[in-house]
Short mmCIF file of all heavy atoms in Angstrom, two decimals:
data_model
loop_
_atom_site.label_atom_id
_atom_site.label_comp_id
_atom_site.label_asym_id
_atom_site.label_seq_id
_atom_site.Cartn_x
_atom_site.Cartn_y
_atom_site.Cartn_z
N MET A 13 0.86 -1.18 0.03
CA MET A 13 0.01 0.02 0.02
C MET A 13 0.92 1.26 0.05
O MET A 13 1.88 1.28 0.72
CB MET A 13 -0.85 -0.02 1.22
CG MET A 13 -1.77 1.16 1.41
SD MET A 13 -3.05 1.44 0.16
CE MET A 13 -4.11 0.11 0.41
N ASN A 14 0.58 2.18 -0.82
CA ASN A 14 1.29 3.46 -0.81
C ASN A 14 0.63 4.60 0.05
O ASN A 14 -0.58 4.51 0.25
CB ASN A 14 1.39 3.92 -2.36
CG ASN A 14 2.22 3.03 -3.14
OD1 ASN A 14 3.20 2.39 -2.75
ND2 ASN A 14 1.85 2.94 -4.41
N TYR A 15 1.42 5.48 0.41
CA TYR A 15 0.90 6.57 1.30
C TYR A 15 1.42 7.89 0.70
O TYR A 15 2.49 7.99 0.08
CB TYR A 15 1.42 6.43 2.68
CG TYR A 15 0.88 5.19 3.34
CD1 TYR A 15 1.55 3.97 3.27
CD2 TYR A 15 -0.32 5.21 4.10
CE1 TYR A 15 1.07 2.87 3.94
CE2 TYR A 15 -0.78 4.12 4.75
CZ TYR A 15 -0.16 2.96 4.69
OH TYR A 15 -0.61 1.77 5.24
N CYS A 16 0.55 8.92 0.89
CA CYS A 16 0.94 10.32 0.35
C CYS A 16 2.13 10.80 1.19
O CYS A 16 2.27 10.67 2.41
CB CYS A 16 -0.31 11.21 0.55
SG CYS A 16 0.04 12.90 0.08
N SER A 17 3.05 11.31 0.47
CA SER A 17 4.33 11.81 1.12
C SER A 17 4.07 13.17 1.82
O SER A 17 4.86 13.60 2.65
CB SER A 17 5.41 11.97 0.08
OG SER A 17 5.19 12.93 -0.85
N GLN A 18 2.95 13.81 1.53
CA GLN A 18 2.60 15.07 2.07
C GLN A 18 1.73 15.04 3.33
O GLN A 18 2.06 15.60 4.36
CB GLN A 18 1.88 15.96 1.08
CG GLN A 18 1.52 17.41 1.61
CD GLN A 18 1.24 18.27 0.49
OE1 GLN A 18 1.84 18.37 -0.57
NE2 GLN A 18 0.00 19.01 0.67
N CYS A 19 0.74 14.14 3.28
CA CYS A 19 -0.21 14.11 4.46
C CYS A 19 -0.20 12.68 5.09
O CYS A 19 -0.80 12.55 6.18
CB CYS A 19 -1.55 14.48 4.03
SG CYS A 19 -2.47 13.33 3.01
N GLY A 20 0.27 11.65 4.46
CA GLY A 20 0.28 10.32 4.99
C GLY A 20 -0.99 9.50 4.75
O GLY A 20 -0.99 8.33 5.20
N GLU A 21 -1.85 10.01 4.06
CA GLU A 21 -3.08 9.35 3.75
C GLU A 21 -2.79 8.06 2.77
O GLU A 21 -1.98 8.15 1.97
CB GLU A 21 -4.10 10.30 2.98
CG GLU A 21 -5.44 9.67 2.65
CD GLU A 21 -6.37 9.44 3.82
OE1 GLU A 21 -6.00 10.07 4.99
OE2 GLU A 21 -7.38 8.84 3.75
N LYS A 22 -3.58 6.94 3.03
CA LYS A 22 -3.48 5.77 2.17
C LYS A 22 -3.87 6.22 0.77
O LYS A 22 -4.87 6.83 0.63
CB LYS A 22 -4.26 4.60 2.68
CG LYS A 22 -3.72 3.98 3.87
CD LYS A 22 -4.53 2.74 4.31
CE LYS A 22 -3.96 2.08 5.47
NZ LYS A 22 -4.75 0.97 5.87
N LEU A 23 -3.23 5.74 -0.31
CA LEU A 23 -3.57 5.97 -1.62
C LEU A 23 -4.15 4.81 -2.26
O LEU A 23 -3.66 3.63 -2.06
CB LEU A 23 -2.27 6.37 -2.40
CG LEU A 23 -1.51 7.60 -1.87
CD1 LEU A 23 -0.17 7.80 -2.65
CD2 LEU A 23 -2.38 8.87 -2.10
N ALA A 24 -5.15 4.98 -3.09
CA ALA A 24 -5.71 3.96 -3.90
C ALA A 24 -4.65 3.48 -4.90
O ALA A 24 -3.70 4.27 -5.23
CB ALA A 24 -6.86 4.43 -4.66
N LYS A 25 -4.72 2.28 -5.33
CA LYS A 25 -3.64 1.67 -6.14
C LYS A 25 -3.28 2.45 -7.38
O LYS A 25 -2.19 2.63 -7.68
CB LYS A 25 -4.06 0.23 -6.51
CG LYS A 25 -3.02 -0.55 -7.36
CD LYS A 25 -3.37 -1.96 -7.53
CE LYS A 25 -2.28 -2.72 -8.36
NZ LYS A 25 -2.63 -4.10 -8.51
N ASP A 26 -4.31 2.89 -8.10
CA ASP A 26 -4.09 3.51 -9.42
C ASP A 26 -4.31 5.08 -9.29
O ASP A 26 -4.64 5.72 -10.31
CB ASP A 26 -4.96 2.98 -10.52
CG ASP A 26 -4.59 1.43 -10.76
OD1 ASP A 26 -3.39 1.21 -10.61
OD2 ASP A 26 -5.41 0.67 -11.15
N SER A 27 -4.31 5.60 -8.10
CA SER A 27 -4.65 7.09 -7.99
C SER A 27 -3.44 7.89 -8.56
O SER A 27 -2.29 7.65 -8.52
CB SER A 27 -4.86 7.43 -6.52
OG SER A 27 -3.74 7.21 -5.70
N ASN A 28 -3.88 9.10 -9.07
CA ASN A 28 -2.90 10.14 -9.43
C ASN A 28 -2.75 11.22 -8.51
O ASN A 28 -1.76 12.00 -8.52
CB ASN A 28 -3.31 10.72 -10.94
CG ASN A 28 -3.21 9.66 -11.96
OD1 ASN A 28 -2.30 8.83 -12.04
ND2 ASN A 28 -4.18 9.74 -12.88
N PHE A 29 -3.74 11.43 -7.61
CA PHE A 29 -3.78 12.50 -6.60
C PHE A 29 -4.20 11.87 -5.30
O PHE A 29 -4.98 10.98 -5.21
CB PHE A 29 -4.77 13.57 -7.04
CG PHE A 29 -4.39 14.24 -8.30
CD1 PHE A 29 -4.86 13.91 -9.56
CD2 PHE A 29 -3.53 15.39 -8.29
CE1 PHE A 29 -4.46 14.46 -10.67
CE2 PHE A 29 -3.11 16.03 -9.38
CZ PHE A 29 -3.52 15.61 -10.63
N CYS A 30 -3.78 12.55 -4.20
CA CYS A 30 -4.20 12.13 -2.84
C CYS A 30 -5.59 12.63 -2.75
O CYS A 30 -5.89 13.85 -2.91
CB CYS A 30 -3.28 12.78 -1.87
SG CYS A 30 -3.86 12.44 -0.16
N GLU A 31 -6.49 11.76 -2.28
CA GLU A 31 -7.86 12.16 -2.00
C GLU A 31 -8.06 13.15 -0.85
O GLU A 31 -8.95 13.89 -0.83
CB GLU A 31 -8.76 10.92 -1.84
CG GLU A 31 -8.87 10.00 -3.08
CD GLU A 31 -9.78 8.82 -2.86
OE1 GLU A 31 -10.43 8.75 -1.81
OE2 GLU A 31 -9.82 8.06 -3.78
N LYS A 32 -7.03 13.16 0.10
CA LYS A 32 -7.27 14.05 1.25
C LYS A 32 -6.65 15.40 0.98
O LYS A 32 -7.36 16.45 1.27
CB LYS A 32 -6.45 13.38 2.43
CG LYS A 32 -6.61 14.20 3.72
CD LYS A 32 -5.96 13.49 4.80
CE LYS A 32 -6.07 14.26 6.14
NZ LYS A 32 -5.36 13.52 7.20
N CYS A 33 -5.46 15.46 0.48
CA CYS A 33 -4.76 16.80 0.27
C CYS A 33 -4.63 17.26 -1.13
O CYS A 33 -4.31 18.48 -1.32
CB CYS A 33 -3.44 16.82 1.00
SG CYS A 33 -2.14 15.83 0.13
N GLY A 34 -4.88 16.32 -2.07
CA GLY A 34 -4.84 16.78 -3.47
C GLY A 34 -3.51 16.69 -4.16
O GLY A 34 -3.29 17.07 -5.38
N LYS A 35 -2.41 16.37 -3.37
CA LYS A 35 -1.11 16.21 -3.97
C LYS A 35 -1.01 15.26 -5.17
O LYS A 35 -1.59 14.14 -5.00
CB LYS A 35 -0.07 15.91 -2.85
CG LYS A 35 1.38 15.84 -3.31
CD LYS A 35 2.34 15.53 -2.22
CE LYS A 35 3.71 15.45 -2.55
NZ LYS A 35 4.23 15.55 -3.86
N SER A 36 -0.37 15.63 -6.14
CA SER A 36 -0.12 14.69 -7.25
C SER A 36 0.92 13.60 -6.82
O SER A 36 1.99 13.94 -6.36
CB SER A 36 0.46 15.54 -8.46
OG SER A 36 0.81 14.64 -9.47
N VAL A 37 0.57 12.35 -7.01
CA VAL A 37 1.40 11.32 -6.63
C VAL A 37 1.91 10.48 -7.82
O VAL A 37 2.59 9.53 -7.65
CB VAL A 37 0.74 10.34 -5.65
CG1 VAL A 37 0.41 11.15 -4.39
CG2 VAL A 37 -0.49 9.81 -6.20
N LYS A 38 1.56 10.83 -8.99
CA LYS A 38 1.91 10.11 -10.24
C LYS A 38 3.40 9.95 -10.33
O LYS A 38 3.95 8.98 -10.61
CB LYS A 38 1.23 10.67 -11.46
CG LYS A 38 1.34 9.69 -12.64
CD LYS A 38 0.60 8.49 -12.47
CE LYS A 38 0.64 7.64 -13.76
NZ LYS A 38 0.00 6.30 -13.44
N GLY A 39 4.09 11.19 -10.26
CA GLY A 39 5.54 11.17 -10.34
C GLY A 39 6.25 10.29 -9.40
O GLY A 39 7.25 9.63 -9.58
N GLU A 40 5.70 10.28 -8.15
CA GLU A 40 6.24 9.36 -7.05
C GLU A 40 6.20 7.92 -7.40
O GLU A 40 7.09 7.09 -7.23
CB GLU A 40 5.56 9.65 -5.72
CG GLU A 40 5.81 11.02 -5.18
CD GLU A 40 5.11 11.29 -3.89
OE1 GLU A 40 4.49 10.32 -3.33
OE2 GLU A 40 4.99 12.53 -3.48
N GLN A 41 5.04 7.54 -8.08
CA GLN A 41 4.91 6.17 -8.52
C GLN A 41 5.88 5.74 -9.56
O GLN A 41 6.40 4.73 -9.58
CB GLN A 41 3.43 6.00 -8.96
CG GLN A 41 2.38 6.05 -7.93
CD GLN A 41 0.95 5.99 -8.43
OE1 GLN A 41 0.76 6.20 -9.64
NE2 GLN A 41 0.07 5.80 -7.62
N ILE A 42 6.14 6.71 -10.50
CA ILE A 42 7.10 6.42 -11.49
C ILE A 42 8.51 6.23 -10.93
O ILE A 42 9.23 5.37 -11.33
CB ILE A 42 7.07 7.58 -12.59
CG1 ILE A 42 5.75 7.55 -13.38
CG2 ILE A 42 8.26 7.54 -13.51
CD1 ILE A 42 5.48 8.78 -14.17
N VAL A 43 8.83 7.09 -9.95
CA VAL A 43 10.16 6.91 -9.38
C VAL A 43 10.26 5.65 -8.67
O VAL A 43 11.28 5.01 -8.66
CB VAL A 43 10.39 8.13 -8.31
CG1 VAL A 43 11.59 7.87 -7.42
CG2 VAL A 43 10.49 9.45 -9.13
N ARG A 44 9.19 5.17 -7.87
CA ARG A 44 9.23 3.89 -7.21
C ARG A 44 9.37 2.69 -8.22
O ARG A 44 10.12 1.75 -7.93
CB ARG A 44 7.99 3.63 -6.30
CG ARG A 44 8.05 4.45 -5.04
CD ARG A 44 6.92 4.02 -4.16
NE ARG A 44 5.64 4.35 -4.58
CZ ARG A 44 4.97 5.52 -4.29
NH1 ARG A 44 5.64 6.36 -3.66
NH2 ARG A 44 3.79 5.77 -4.84
N GLN A 45 8.75 2.79 -9.35
CA GLN A 45 8.80 1.83 -10.35
C GLN A 45 10.26 1.68 -10.91
O GLN A 45 10.77 0.59 -11.00
CB GLN A 45 7.84 2.02 -11.50
CG GLN A 45 6.42 1.76 -11.12
CD GLN A 45 5.39 2.21 -12.21
OE1 GLN A 45 5.84 2.89 -13.15
NE2 GLN A 45 4.17 1.89 -12.13
N PHE A 46 10.82 2.89 -11.14
CA PHE A 46 12.19 2.93 -11.63
C PHE A 46 13.16 2.39 -10.65
O PHE A 46 14.03 1.55 -10.95
CB PHE A 46 12.56 4.33 -11.96
CG PHE A 46 14.04 4.52 -12.36
CD1 PHE A 46 14.41 4.12 -13.63
CD2 PHE A 46 14.99 5.02 -11.53
CE1 PHE A 46 15.80 4.27 -13.95
CE2 PHE A 46 16.26 5.14 -11.81
CZ PHE A 46 16.71 4.70 -13.12
N GLU A 47 13.04 2.72 -9.30
CA GLU A 47 13.88 2.18 -8.33
C GLU A 47 13.79 0.69 -8.12
O GLU A 47 14.83 -0.02 -8.03
CB GLU A 47 13.54 2.91 -6.96
CG GLU A 47 13.98 4.31 -6.92
CD GLU A 47 13.53 5.04 -5.67
OE1 GLU A 47 12.66 4.51 -4.99
OE2 GLU A 47 14.12 6.16 -5.35
N THR A 48 12.61 0.12 -8.24
CA THR A 48 12.37 -1.23 -8.32
C THR A 48 13.05 -1.98 -9.38
O THR A 48 13.76 -3.00 -9.25
CB THR A 48 10.83 -1.55 -8.23
OG1 THR A 48 10.21 -0.97 -7.16
CG2 THR A 48 10.64 -3.10 -8.19
N GLN A 49 12.89 -1.44 -10.59
CA GLN A 49 13.50 -2.01 -11.80
C GLN A 49 15.05 -1.97 -11.68
O GLN A 49 15.73 -2.94 -12.06
CB GLN A 49 12.94 -1.36 -13.01
CG GLN A 49 11.60 -1.65 -13.35
CD GLN A 49 10.97 -0.80 -14.54
OE1 GLN A 49 11.60 0.16 -14.93
NE2 GLN A 49 9.91 -1.22 -15.07
N LEU A 50 15.50 -0.83 -11.14
CA LEU A 50 16.95 -0.78 -10.98
C LEU A 50 17.51 -1.74 -9.97
O LEU A 50 18.58 -2.37 -10.23
CB LEU A 50 17.34 0.74 -10.54
CG LEU A 50 18.84 1.14 -10.38
CD1 LEU A 50 19.57 0.85 -11.80
CD2 LEU A 50 18.93 2.56 -9.87
N ASN A 51 16.83 -1.95 -8.88
CA ASN A 51 17.20 -2.92 -7.92
C ASN A 51 17.24 -4.35 -8.50
O ASN A 51 18.17 -5.07 -8.27
CB ASN A 51 16.31 -2.84 -6.72
CG ASN A 51 16.65 -1.65 -5.86
OD1 ASN A 51 17.76 -1.12 -5.87
ND2 ASN A 51 15.65 -1.20 -5.06
N ILE A 52 16.21 -4.65 -9.28
CA ILE A 52 16.21 -6.03 -9.95
C ILE A 52 17.33 -6.17 -10.90
O ILE A 52 18.01 -7.18 -10.92
CB ILE A 52 14.78 -6.13 -10.69
CG1 ILE A 52 13.71 -6.30 -9.67
CG2 ILE A 52 14.88 -7.38 -11.65
CD1 ILE A 52 12.32 -6.20 -10.25
N PHE A 53 17.63 -5.17 -11.71
CA PHE A 53 18.84 -5.04 -12.55
C PHE A 53 20.15 -5.39 -11.75
O PHE A 53 20.91 -6.16 -12.10
CB PHE A 53 18.93 -3.82 -13.41
CG PHE A 53 20.17 -3.75 -14.19
CD1 PHE A 53 20.20 -4.43 -15.41
CD2 PHE A 53 21.25 -3.02 -13.74
CE1 PHE A 53 21.47 -4.29 -16.09
CE2 PHE A 53 22.40 -2.91 -14.45
CZ PHE A 53 22.45 -3.51 -15.67
N ARG A 54 20.25 -4.62 -10.62
CA ARG A 54 21.47 -4.78 -9.84
C ARG A 54 21.63 -6.21 -9.32
O ARG A 54 22.71 -6.83 -9.21
CB ARG A 54 21.51 -3.78 -8.76
CG ARG A 54 21.72 -2.34 -9.26
CD ARG A 54 21.67 -1.38 -8.08
NE ARG A 54 21.95 -0.03 -8.54
CZ ARG A 54 21.68 1.05 -7.87
NH1 ARG A 54 20.98 1.00 -6.78
NH2 ARG A 54 22.02 2.26 -8.35
N LEU A 55 20.44 -6.81 -8.80
CA LEU A 55 20.58 -8.10 -8.29
C LEU A 55 20.90 -9.11 -9.32
O LEU A 55 21.69 -10.07 -9.11
CB LEU A 55 19.25 -8.51 -7.59
CG LEU A 55 18.89 -7.82 -6.38
CD1 LEU A 55 17.49 -8.18 -5.86
CD2 LEU A 55 19.86 -8.37 -5.22
N ASN A 56 20.29 -8.95 -10.57
CA ASN A 56 20.61 -9.83 -11.65
C ASN A 56 22.04 -9.77 -12.05
O ASN A 56 22.77 -10.76 -12.42
CB ASN A 56 19.64 -9.62 -12.79
CG ASN A 56 18.28 -10.17 -12.52
OD1 ASN A 56 18.07 -11.10 -11.67
ND2 ASN A 56 17.28 -9.59 -13.19
N HIS A 57 22.61 -8.55 -12.02
CA HIS A 57 23.98 -8.30 -12.39
C HIS A 57 24.95 -9.03 -11.32
O HIS A 57 25.98 -9.63 -11.71
CB HIS A 57 24.28 -6.88 -12.43
CG HIS A 57 25.64 -6.45 -12.97
ND1 HIS A 57 26.04 -6.70 -14.17
CD2 HIS A 57 26.72 -5.95 -12.26
CE1 HIS A 57 27.36 -6.29 -14.35
NE2 HIS A 57 27.71 -5.88 -13.27
N LYS A 58 24.53 -8.90 -10.07
CA LYS A 58 25.43 -9.57 -9.04
C LYS A 58 25.31 -11.01 -9.25
O LYS A 58 26.33 -11.74 -9.10
CB LYS A 58 24.87 -9.18 -7.65
CG LYS A 58 25.27 -7.80 -7.24
CD LYS A 58 24.78 -7.50 -5.86
CE LYS A 58 25.21 -6.16 -5.40
NZ LYS A 58 24.74 -5.87 -4.09
N LYS A 59 24.10 -11.61 -9.56
CA LYS A 59 23.99 -13.06 -9.67
C LYS A 59 24.85 -13.49 -10.93
O LYS A 59 25.52 -14.50 -10.83
CB LYS A 59 22.55 -13.43 -9.99
CG LYS A 59 21.71 -13.32 -8.75
CD LYS A 59 20.23 -13.73 -9.14
CE LYS A 59 19.27 -13.57 -8.00
NZ LYS A 59 17.88 -13.77 -8.37
N ALA A 60 24.86 -12.72 -11.96
CA ALA A 60 25.67 -13.20 -13.25
C ALA A 60 27.07 -13.16 -12.85
O ALA A 60 27.95 -14.04 -13.22
CB ALA A 60 25.30 -12.23 -14.34
N LYS A 61 27.61 -12.09 -12.17
CA LYS A 61 29.01 -11.98 -11.82
C LYS A 61 29.40 -13.18 -10.86
O LYS A 61 30.49 -13.78 -11.04
CB LYS A 61 29.24 -10.71 -11.06
CG LYS A 61 29.23 -9.53 -11.92
CD LYS A 61 30.53 -9.44 -12.71
CE LYS A 61 30.57 -8.07 -13.35
NZ LYS A 61 31.73 -8.06 -14.30
N TYR A 62 28.51 -13.64 -9.95
CA TYR A 62 28.73 -14.68 -9.00
C TYR A 62 28.80 -16.03 -9.87
O TYR A 62 29.80 -16.77 -9.61
CB TYR A 62 27.65 -14.83 -7.98
CG TYR A 62 27.73 -15.97 -7.08
CD1 TYR A 62 28.73 -15.95 -6.02
CD2 TYR A 62 26.97 -17.09 -7.22
CE1 TYR A 62 28.76 -17.06 -5.19
CE2 TYR A 62 27.03 -18.14 -6.36
CZ TYR A 62 28.04 -18.13 -5.30
OH TYR A 62 28.08 -19.19 -4.53
N LEU A 63 27.92 -16.21 -10.79
CA LEU A 63 27.96 -17.39 -11.57
C LEU A 63 29.12 -17.46 -12.54
O LEU A 63 29.73 -18.56 -12.77
CB LEU A 63 26.61 -17.52 -12.39
CG LEU A 63 25.34 -17.77 -11.48
CD1 LEU A 63 24.16 -17.76 -12.38
CD2 LEU A 63 25.49 -19.06 -10.73
N GLU A 64 29.56 -16.36 -12.99
CA GLU A 64 30.76 -16.21 -13.92
C GLU A 64 31.95 -16.70 -13.11
O GLU A 64 33.00 -17.25 -13.70
CB GLU A 64 30.96 -14.90 -14.45
CG GLU A 64 29.94 -14.43 -15.48
CD GLU A 64 30.14 -12.99 -15.94
OE1 GLU A 64 31.08 -12.33 -15.43
OE2 GLU A 64 29.43 -12.61 -16.82
N SER A 65 32.05 -16.49 -11.85
CA SER A 65 33.21 -16.92 -11.06
C SER A 65 33.47 -18.39 -10.95
O SER A 65 34.53 -18.87 -10.67
CB SER A 65 33.14 -16.35 -9.65
OG SER A 65 32.07 -17.01 -8.91
N PHE A 66 32.40 -19.27 -11.29
CA PHE A 66 32.51 -20.61 -11.39
C PHE A 66 32.86 -21.18 -12.71
O PHE A 66 33.10 -22.35 -12.84
CB PHE A 66 31.18 -21.28 -10.84
CG PHE A 66 30.93 -21.00 -9.45
CD1 PHE A 66 30.03 -20.10 -9.01
CD2 PHE A 66 31.62 -21.79 -8.47
CE1 PHE A 66 29.74 -19.83 -7.69
CE2 PHE A 66 31.37 -21.50 -7.16
CZ PHE A 66 30.45 -20.52 -6.74
N MET A 67 32.91 -20.32 -13.69
CA MET A 67 33.21 -20.78 -15.04
C MET A 67 34.68 -20.79 -15.38
O MET A 67 35.41 -20.12 -14.91
CB MET A 67 32.39 -19.98 -16.07
CG MET A 67 30.99 -20.20 -15.95
SD MET A 67 30.16 -19.17 -17.19
CE MET A 67 28.58 -19.97 -17.13
#
């Protein structure tokens, strides 16, 4: 569950704005998605390096 960074209200899954304070949250969702994808890439890169050490 996501929360508004301005007021702390719970956000609906596909919301673009906080229902309580009106803050736009779409940009924050994009940043979280990017950070998640970057972390997955980093983990896969570490796994590949680890497996290469056995070859």
Side-chain angles (χ1 to χ4, degrees):
M13 178 64 68
N14 294 326
Y15 296 88
C16 176
S17 63
Q18 183 167 311
C19 71
E21 184 74 10
K22 286 184 181 180
L23 300 171
K25 185 175 182 179
D26 296 327
S27 63
N28 292 325
F29 296 91
C30 175
E31 292 180 8
K32 183 176 180 184
C33 71
K35 180 175 180 358
S36 174
V37 295
K38 191 65 175 173
E40 293 176 12
Q41 292 172 347
I42 292 169
V43 169
R44 281 193 293 272
Q45 288 172 350
F46 174 77
E47 289 173 346
T48 300
Q49 290 173 346
L50 183 59
N51 286 337
I52 290 169
F53 172 79
R54 287 178 177 158
L55 286 172
N56 287 336
H57 184 71
K58 284 182 180 180
K59 287 179 187 177
K61 289 283 188 187
Y62 177 74
L63 293 174
E64 285 176 0
S65 68
F66 292 102
M67 295 181 162

